[in-house]
Structures are given as C-alpha cells and as structure tokens.
Amino acid sequence: MDYHTFCQKFNICGLNEQQEAAVRRVNGATLLLAVPGSGKTTVIVARTGYLMYVAGVKPENILTITYTRAAAKEMKERFLSFTGQQYTPVTFGTFHAFFYQILKQTYHFNASSILKESDKRKMMKNILHHIPEDLKNEPCMLLNSIDKNGEVNQDMMQRLISEISKVKNLGLAASDYESTVCTSALFAFIYEQYSHIAAHNNKLDFDDMVILCLELLKAKPSVLHLWQKRYSYILIDEFQDISPSQYEVIRLLADTHHNLFIVGDDDQSIYGFRGSRPQLMLDFARY
C-alpha cells in the first residue's frame, strides 16, 4: 500500500506538512516537539498505522509508551478506531506496565509483588515510630508534623514518599540527597529502612521496577537482545516527563535499531517531583 492509498483508506488526508513528515518518518531517532492541541495523538496513531500498512513493520514489533493507564487506553482505542480493528498486536502501555512485563518474564513476578500505596503508608508509619533517639535531636518539618498521639501528617508523609521516589529515579545515594522535610541523616535512615522492609517482604514499588529492569538489561545481554529484537520500533508520548533511569532503559532497548520516536513539550513537564528531566528530551539529538 502506498502513502496516498493509506491516507484515503484511513481518512487522514487533512494532515499538515509537519504532521505528514512525522507520520512518514520510518527509520532513525526522531524528536517531535508538539504543543497541546497540535494533533500529537493523531500523529502517533497515524504513524503506527503507517509503519504497519506502508512500511511493512510487523505490529508485534511496535511498542508505544505513555505515562498513565488512561492515556495508554485512549491511545489504543484511538488506534483500533483508526484501523477498524477489534484487536491489535501493537503494544500500548505505560512505562511501569512495560517494565513489569520484562521483570515478570525473567523473575516471574506477579501482582502481589507490587507495593500498594496503602502498604507504603503503613511501612512509613512504622518506620517513623521507630526512629533512633539520636536522630530526633535536630527537629525538622517531618518530626514536627507528628502529633502527640504519634500520628504523622499525611501530606508530610506523601512528600517523604515522593522524595524516596525521586532519589531512586535520579539514581542517587540516599546519603547524597538533601531532603526538604528532614535532616540528611534521618532521610538516609528512613530510606534504608524502607528498602530493607520491602526487600525482606519480597515487595517492590514502581520505582524499583525501573531500577531492577535497568540492572537486569545491563547484566544479562541475552535478555536485552530478546527485547531489542522484539521491539524494533519504539514510540514514546509525553517524553518531557521521562526520568534518567527510564531513559537509560529506553536507550538500551533502542540501541540496536535506533528507531526511537519521541513526542513531547518541554513546557508541560509535570513529574519533576519524582525526578523527570525535560532536559533529557532537549538533549535528545546529542544522545
């Protein structure tokens, strides 16, 4: 099928010059800067169809990633509506869902292995109730938020959980991180206890998935090759919200074919609290 026939069949003759260029870009690394309302979802959906119907790429070799389950579901539904299909072997999912599949296949994880938000809060509450006396000497926002009954302010607890997430996503040592809610020594203690309890109970959070996945792909070339071979074309939406750890995983996966198509808007980053770095997108050409 040629491009003209493709456009007529799927009714996409209204694309502008820039959108058409993005859709028809098949091989190589591509950065598409797209502001809200510029039709980026249409471009991603149409490009996925173009890869299949014009370029002859097998649908099972295409991976499309975004950040939320709702966005991934919408993307998949848009694609099915676009192609008139009931099912597609194209993978549409979130970063964490994709990383989970890699870990599940290698380590046989299941849903019970993942820490729920309620589990995190219970763990954190228990840790904060057992802080060594020597770490209580220097008052801080976190300790000051604990009332006389030992209850921890929920907003403060969430800030602490977010900081633990940020440290993991940035690949930092807890001792090198300057917390905004407590002393460095107290944060290092909490981080160590959180990690120890999770590991002891064979649990991992979403951030652990990224770290463990990165370690796995670096340590086992055979596993890396398997996933590189499976997904020869990778498309990522909202790339401005990617974290350094997530980016390293994607770089490894795309290292064989280099067919990485990213879409983002550096003015729309919303995940800075957990370590996202819009600069990674702006430096894409250099990387």
Side-chain angles (χ1 to χ4, degrees), residues 35-96:
V35 299
S38 60
K40 63 175 183 176
T41 301
T42 297
V43 168
I44 292 173
V45 167
R47 181 176 185 272
T48 303
Y50 184 87
L51 290 174
M52 291 170 51
Y53 294 104
V54 182
V57 177
K58 294 180 179 179
E60 56 267 28
N61 294 143
I62 302 173
L63 170 65
T64 301
I65 300 176
T66 188
Y67 277 86
T68 67
R69 284 182 292 180
K73 181 181 178 183
E74 180 188 1
M75 192 83 71
K76 183 176 182 178
E77 290 175 347
R78 286 275 298 272
F79 180 75
L80 291 174
S81 176
F82 174 75
T83 59
Q85 298 175 321
Q86 297 294 319
Y87 166 79
T88 178
V90 174
T91 298
F92 291 91
T94 64
F95 273 105
H96 293 126

Side-chain angles (χ1 to χ4, degrees), residues 27-157:
N27 296 315
T30 304
L31 163 61
L32 180 65
L33 291 173
V35 299
S38 60
K40 63 175 183 176
T41 301
T42 297
V43 168
I44 292 173
V45 167
R47 181 176 185 272
T48 303
Y50 184 87
L51 290 174
M52 291 170 51
Y53 294 104
V54 182
V57 177
K58 294 180 179 179
E60 56 267 28
N61 294 143
I62 302 173
L63 170 65
T64 301
I65 300 176
T66 188
Y67 277 86
T68 67
R69 284 182 292 180
K73 181 181 178 183
E74 180 188 1
M75 192 83 71
K76 183 176 182 178
E77 290 175 347
R78 286 275 298 272
F79 180 75
L80 291 174
S81 176
F82 174 75
T83 59
Q85 298 175 321
Q86 297 294 319
Y87 166 79
T88 178
V90 174
T91 298
F92 291 91
T94 64
F95 273 105
H96 293 126
F98 175 55
F99 295 155
Y100 174 70
Q101 288 302 316
I102 293 177
L103 297 175
K104 180 180 179 181
Q105 182 166 317
T106 303
Y107 297 128
H108 309 294
F109 285 148
N110 54 52
S112 65
S113 305
I114 303 173
L115 273 173
K116 299 177 182 177
E117 288 301 314
S118 58
D119 295 331
K120 290 183 184 180
R121 293 178 182 277
K122 288 179 182 178
M123 284 172 53
M124 197 63 65
K125 185 176 181 179
N126 181 58
I127 293 169
L128 294 176
H129 283 169
H130 294 87
I131 297 173
E133 289 300 321
D134 63 311
L135 294 179
K136 296 181 180 179
N137 294 333
E138 297 183 32
C140 59
M141 291 174 61
L142 176 62
L143 295 179
N144 291 340
S145 73
I146 301 176
D147 65 23
K148 61 183 180 180
N149 296 317
E151 292 298 318
V152 184
N153 179 277
Q154 293 300 303
D155 289 339
M156 194 63 61
M157 184 183 292

Side-chain angles (χ1 to χ4, degrees), residues 162-174:
S162 295
E163 289 196 340
I164 290 175
S165 175
K166 189 172 186 177
V167 167
K168 291 182 179 183
N169 277 286
L170 291 175
L172 300 175

